[in-house]
Amino acid sequence: MEFQKELVKLNQAFSTKEEAIRYCGAQLVEAGHVNPAYIDAMVERNNELSVYMGNFIAIPHGTDAAKKEVLSSGITIVQVPAGVNFGTEEEPKVATVLFGIAGLGDEHLEIIQKISIFCADVDNVVKLADAQSVDQVVDLLNGVA
């Protein structure tokens, strides 16, 4: 899958994880990958099981029931330099890079797996979080999806 440069968003800030997830969903809607109902399914998915993956990344995506809202596979990459807490005040889980995804069929599983492998190396996450341009982000991730 090609990364769409218009879906790479640098220097974003969010007060809550729900705001961050809804932003990712809105990017996917705007690009024509999902119907608007997918956004609520992304929030619901995080409520069922956190989309925080460790190593300062979160991968917001919809529930299985929301697969019918996916029109085409897509991914948005959102850089959050100040971070957004996907945990609690007592146990913060701060994400500085968000990968909002929608996959046709089982494609989302493959996308999550590839992102997880790339981000298992925290140096890669730091490079994404520090990237100063959309091209830098796309170049870093070109081998992933």
Side-chain angles (χ1 to χ4, degrees), residues 73-103:
S73 294
I75 183 166
T76 181
I77 299 131
V78 182
Q79 186 192 63
V80 190
V84 60
N85 186 5
F86 276 78
T88 61
E89 236 175 84
E90 301 78 37
E91 283 187 54
K93 294 178 180 171
V94 177
T96 55
V97 182
L98 312 175
F99 295 90
I101 64 170

Side-chain angles (χ1 to χ4, degrees), residues 98-135:
L98 312 175
F99 295 90
I101 64 170
L104 276 180
D106 285 336
E107 280 184 26
H108 72 287
L109 296 173
E110 191 181 320
I111 297 166
I112 290 172
Q113 185 180 23
K114 287 179 175 177
I115 292 167
S116 298
I117 291 167
F118 177 81
C119 292
D121 181 345
V122 81
D123 288 346
N124 288 335
V125 180
V126 170
K127 287 176 191 165
L128 286 175
D130 290 347
Q132 297 300 305
S133 72
V134 168
D135 286 335

